[in-house]
Amino acid sequence: MLKKLFYNDFHTIRRRILPLLLASLGCSACAFFVVLLDAVLPQTGDIAVFLDNTLTSVLVALLFAFIVLVVLSGLHIFIHYYRNFFTDEGYLTFMLPATREQLFVAKLLAGIVWTLIILLSAIASVTVGILLPTELLMRAENASFLSSLWRDIFDLFSVISIVDLLLTLIAQTVFIYTAITLGSLFFAKRKMLGSFISYFLLSGIISFLRTILSLLFYTFTDAGEFYSSLASILLSLSVGIGGYLITCALLKHKLNLV
């Protein structure tokens, strides 16, 4: 049953998010050609100034559109959860032959998968729209940009930092679901407002704990960076597991649509 629930949630989210991701990739493709066009146009004269200002404005508009599309894509994941559990759709959701924990796990897994897809799509868009045209222009001058960039990235991200990043991403997804659940249950007449309040309150607490743990590890250990990442991993695991247990308990014992 869980597999069927996941499949349904995954494809329901896909129908809303995929067009936005394709549009963001379209923005990056347009940015690719705009950057190259700006490089080959004349660099002197009034017309050159006009064209340069115009192309710069186009790039800013494309960047703004890209950011909006990516943000909307992420919001749709959590809107799907909110609608399925805390609006009139909830009556249909809870008529399915599945436990509330199974319903939540299916939405959580679908949300995590789509969060990773959005992240990869954003990286691909940035690569196509900014990094690739920059590399082409530098290669025309017998230089290279991407090779040094990749070396810097590999130097910056160790295995433990990549694990930390992935766990933080997963824990953040669980955390937002928990905030939506708390806000919807305890602010019944202002569910959306309650969700935002819960999110910011919990974010403040977790950010404070993360900062304190990082400072402690940096202060009392020699390998500060390693132990700081380890502390972040432990905190992400605590947030993810704690958020999962709290959300399941609330959905099971507090949620009442009758």
Side-chain angles (χ1 to χ4, degrees):
M1 187 62 188
L2 182 59
K3 183 178 179 180
K4 293 181 179 179
L5 292 171
F6 170 79
Y7 180 87
N8 179 70
D9 286 319
F10 180 86
H11 288 284
T12 300
I13 296 173
R14 175 185 60 80
R15 287 193 291 270
R16 296 190 177 101
I17 289 181
L18 190 57
L20 297 176
L21 295 183
L22 292 176
S24 67
L25 288 172
C27 288
S28 66
C30 292
F32 173 86
F33 290 109
V34 170
V35 171
L36 293 181
L37 181 62
D38 184 55
V40 300
L41 287 175
Q43 301 298 315
T44 58
D46 294 337
I47 296 179
V49 173
F50 171 76
L51 291 175
D52 183 65
N53 291 335
T54 302
L55 292 176
T56 301
S57 300
V58 171
L59 279 175
V60 171
L62 289 171
L63 176 62
F64 178 76
F66 167 75
I67 294 173
V68 170
L69 289 168
V70 172
V71 171
L72 287 177
S73 299
L75 287 177
H76 271 298
I77 295 173
F78 306 108
I79 291 172
H80 171 72
Y81 172 75
Y82 171 77
R83 285 178 175 172
N84 271 207
F85 273 1
F86 305 109
T87 65
D88 292 341
E89 292 183 17
Y91 290 98
L92 298 176
T93 300
F94 294 116
M95 288 176 65
L96 295 172
T99 64
R100 295 187 177 187
E101 185 175 2
Q102 286 178 321
L103 294 169
F104 172 66
V105 170
K107 286 172 175 52
L108 176 60
L109 292 176
I112 290 172
V113 171
W114 273 110
T115 299
L116 294 174
I117 292 174
I118 291 171
L119 175 61
L120 293 175
S121 175
I123 293 173
S125 296
V126 171
T127 301
V128 172
I130 299 176
L131 302 183
L132 190 56
T134 303
E135 174 70 7
L136 292 175
L137 293 175
M138 292 189 68
R139 282 185 179 273
E141 300 177 359
N142 296 320
S144 180
F145 169 72
L146 286 180
S147 57
S148 60
L149 176 64
W150 287 121
R151 284 197 300 269
D152 293 339
I153 290 175
F154 282 122
D155 291 339
L156 179 64
F157 288 101
S158 60
V159 174
I160 193 169
S161 63
I162 293 174
V163 173
D164 180 23
L165 176 63
L166 291 175
L167 287 178
T168 300
L169 192 66
I170 293 171
Q172 185 69 14
T173 304
V174 179
F175 169 75
I176 295 175
Y177 281 165
T178 303
I180 293 173
T181 304
L182 287 169
S184 298
L185 293 181
F186 294 102
F187 295 82
K189 294 183 178 180
R190 295 289 187 273
K191 294 179 180 179
M192 292 297 293
L193 177 61
S195 298
F196 279 107
I197 292 174
S198 300
Y199 174 79
F200 286 114
L201 287 177
L202 293 176
S203 291
I205 295 172
I206 293 174
S207 296
F208 175 76
L209 292 175
R210 188 181 297 275
T211 302
I212 294 298
L213 285 175
S214 297
L215 289 175
L216 288 175
F217 276 102
Y218 268 115
T219 302
F220 296 107
T221 62
D222 295 329
E225 183 178 353
F226 173 83
Y227 285 103
S228 178
S229 296
L230 183 60
S232 179
I233 288 174
L234 293 175
L235 183 59
S236 295
L237 287 173
S238 300
V239 170
I241 295 172
Y244 172 82
L245 295 175
I246 291 171
T247 305
C248 286
L250 289 172
L251 292 175
K252 183 177 180 181
H253 300 292
K254 297 293 184 181
L255 183 59
N256 184 11
L257 295 175
V258 178

